[in-house]
Amino acid sequence: MGHILEHLLNIKKQNGAGYLVLIDPDKQDIESASVLAELSAEADVDAILIGSSFLMSDRLDPMIRSVKQVSGLPVIIFPGSSNHISRYADAILFLSLISGRNPEFLIGEHVKAAPAIKRYGIEAIPTGYMLIEGGSCTSVQFISATLPIPRDKIDIAVAHAIAGELLGMKMIYLECGSGSIQSVPNEMISAVKEQINVPLIVGGGIVDPKEAGEKVRFGADFIVTGNVLEKTGNASLMREFASVIHSAKPS
């Protein structure tokens, strides 16, 4: 087991659940990302994800270096394609879009990325990524050319999550996508969690700490927020998210 995955599992064991902040290089410049990262460290955030569905900018490498320097937190790539690789990251969520049927995002992009990941010695965390209907067409839906799992098809989500674990995924990630109108239904989170033994990450459309706490109580092991912080960027909101998430589930 890699040390970043072990770190995340220890966070889950100690606090019951963990809080991850997502920074998008297409939406933040290096200075604003560094400020957000520094605030994250002060607010008891557990790790930082950096990534985008598309990645128009060339800021990935310098942003990761700066974020690591100012925060001291683990920095994990949240990739949209095989081009989203940086030797400066601590780890990468090796995402397989198991909710879709596009072979490029099931295995194709992984084959392209694998040599660089191995060459740079980046810790890869195999993650079953599941796109859930969130009330709008998100960037990841458009770029991946896949359909999200309907919100009311809980049995389909459960079956996909079980398949992901059986395929060897170390984590399952339920995601409505950046900027989604709705978040992953609590009932779906609970049903999936009951059927898997690996950590469950939930992100997309979570706009306030109370909602994040509900997701944890229904079974989420890690909560990811991105857009809500990019718009406000205040430390008090991050501290509230961290406090609620860390106390919502018995450790």
Side-chain angles (χ1 to χ4, degrees):
M1 183 188 301
H3 72 280
I4 297 299
L5 178 57
E6 185 176 7
H7 168 76
L8 294 176
L9 295 179
N10 285 336
I11 292 295
K12 175 181 176 296
K13 182 178 180 180
Q14 293 167 11
N15 296 327
Y19 179 33
L20 313 177
V21 165
L22 172 62
I23 298 176
D24 187 335
D26 282 340
K27 298 177 180 178
Q28 300 276 331
D29 58 29
I30 295 172
E31 182 178 357
S32 60
S34 299
V35 170
L36 188 58
E38 194 168 10
L39 292 175
S40 297
E42 296 171 359
D44 203 23
V45 171
D46 297 304
I48 293 175
L49 302 179
I50 293 185
S52 171
S53 297
F54 196 46
L55 198 60
M56 289 280 290
S57 76
D58 60 356
R59 293 189 284 262
L60 187 62
D61 276 352
M63 182 174 288
I64 288 176
R65 294 179 70 179
S66 181
V67 164
K68 285 181 65 174
Q69 183 177 11
V70 301
S71 72
L73 293 172
V75 176
I76 304 169
I77 298 173
F78 181 62
S81 79
S82 57
N83 295 323
H84 304 180
I85 307 295
S86 171
R87 70 180 72 210
Y88 304 108
D90 296 301
I92 182 170
L93 293 183
F94 206 45
L95 302 175
S96 183
L97 185 53
I98 60 174
S99 61
R101 298 297 182 269
N102 184 339
E104 283 304 303
F105 293 94
L106 284 168
I107 184 61
E109 290 295 311
H110 310 72
V111 173
K112 298 173 188 175
I117 292 172
K118 186 174 181 63
R119 183 166 63 250
Y120 296 150
I122 305 168
E123 179 182 338
I125 303 174
T127 303
Y129 185 73
M130 297 169 54
L131 185 60
I132 310 300
E133 179 189 357
S136 62
C137 181
T138 59
S139 296
V140 62
Q141 179 181 343
F142 184 83
I143 294 298
S144 67
T146 65
L147 292 174
I149 295 175
R151 300 177 61 78
D152 60 342
K153 303 300 183 185
I154 293 177
D155 55 342
I156 293 177
V158 169
H160 279 75
I162 293 172
E165 182 177 12
L166 293 178
L167 282 167
M169 306 297 177
K170 301 300 183 184
M171 301 180 117
I172 298 295
Y173 195 146
L174 300 182
E175 165 83 297
C176 282
S178 176
S180 57
I181 298 172
Q182 298 169 295
S183 58
V184 179
N186 292 337
E187 296 76 15
M188 183 178 288
I189 294 170
S190 178
V192 167
K193 184 59 181 176
E194 286 179 4
Q195 295 296 324
I196 63 173
N197 296 302
V198 294
L200 179 61
I201 308 172
V202 177
I206 300 173
V207 297
D208 64 70
K210 179 181 178 182
E211 185 179 15
E214 289 177 355
K215 304 301 181 192
V216 172
R217 285 188 288 274
F218 274 86
D221 296 304
F222 293 92
I223 296 293
V224 178
T225 63
N227 271 26
V228 66
L229 298 177
E230 290 167 355
K231 294 174 182 176
T232 61
N234 69 71
S236 61
L237 181 59
M238 278 193 282
R239 281 194 294 268
E240 189 176 355
F241 266 112
S243 177
V244 170
I245 290 166
H246 291 155
S247 62
K249 187 185 292 183
S251 59

